Amino acid sequence: MAYYYRGILYWMDGEPDNARACFRSAQLEDSAADDQQYSSDYVLLDYLDGLASVKLAGDGNDAFQRAERLCKRFAKPPPYNKDANVLFFLEFGPGPIKYAGGEYGEELHIRVASSPVLAAVIKVDGQAIRVDPYDDLDFQATTRGGRVMDHVLANKAVFKSTTDAVGNAAIVGGLIAASADRRDPEIGLGIAAAGLIAKIVSANTTPKADTRTWDNLPHYLSFAQMQLPPGQHTATVEFLDRSGQPMSNLTKTININVPADKSDKVVFVSDTSITPQNI
């Protein structure tokens, strides 16, 4: 996601070439999924890759076709409009959160929540565009698969439980042996000491999963493009609930100043954004 947001920032700064490089890097990062059917499967990353190419007077057809093929869960994105000069990046809904599970907290789990927002509508100058999701971050988080470190942590958990069990057995067995042979208890005490060492090693083995995460990621990513004349425009973004009704408490107002130099105006809107915004 870091590359995705960097791409948006580059486009805001008038650098669609660097934005495209970031979107490609983000898609490459996703190629490490354990199950290859989920490898590099962000629709929006390929779509934006192609759009940036079109904006740079290149051919974005291959990227557009890849994006279309990846649209298995949501509606397909529209054809590119090279004359669109206002680009809306939208996100909404609560995103995935990591948490630890297992006996020692060694298992990494993903908590997902249902999104109360399923779509949005952008209204400006008498135009109204419905914006549906293109990517689901909860789906991405739960299909990416484990890392090498997750297997290391699993092995550490096995080692911890094994050394703890061995330590318990050695301490008990050693003390019993020492008490049974009062004339020569050293062997039993040695076994008990070895058990104590095993317990110490077990106690110092920490197989806890890495649950560090962004706590403000969205559930859904989306995008819309629009052609507006230069000058001031006021856009309203309504977020729609599961029944398709606007959620009035989430409605955003954005005052947009479209430049006259034909450069793109990039607008980033979240259901948690402040309102109004002046861009």
Side-chain angles (χ1 to χ4, degrees), residues 191-231:
I191 295 173
L196 181 60
I197 292 172
K199 293 281 288 183
I200 293 172
V201 171
S202 175
N204 283 280
T205 301
T206 54
K208 290 189 178 298
D210 182 1
T211 57
R212 293 175 297 175
T213 186
W214 290 5
D215 60 4
N216 59 348
L217 286 175
H219 193 128
Y220 295 119
L221 302 178
S222 196
F223 175 81
Q225 54 189 330
M226 185 178 291
Q227 184 176 0
L228 294 175

Side-chain angles (χ1 to χ4, degrees), residues 44-92:
L44 197 50
L45 294 176
D46 276 336
Y47 184 77
L48 294 172
D49 177 348
L51 178 60
S53 294
V54 169
K55 291 285 187 176
L56 294 166
D59 184 2
N61 190 55
D62 287 346
F64 181 77
Q65 290 181 357
R66 288 197 304 271
E68 280 196 317
R69 288 195 298 269
L70 290 171
C71 287
K72 300 174 182 177
R73 305 178 68 241
F74 302 111
K76 293 183 178 181
Y80 297 135
N81 178 4
K82 66 181 180 63
D83 296 320
N85 56 350
V86 182
L87 310 179
F88 290 89
F89 291 83
L90 277 72
E91 61 179 41
F92 42 88

Side-chain angles (χ1 to χ4, degrees), residues 161-179 185-200:
S161 60
T162 301
T163 52
D164 186 60
V166 169
N168 288 335
I171 290 173
V172 173
L175 292 177
I176 292 174
S179 62
E186 287 81 4
I187 295 177
L189 292 175
I191 295 173
L196 181 60
I197 292 172
K199 293 281 288 183
I200 293 172

Side-chain angles (χ1 to χ4, degrees), residues 135-154:
D135 286 302
D136 180 340
L137 291 192
D138 283 6
F139 176 80
Q140 291 292 336
T142 54
T143 57
R144 182 167 175 79
R147 308 161 302 151
V148 172
M149 182 53 66
D150 295 329
H151 299 291
V152 173
L153 292 174

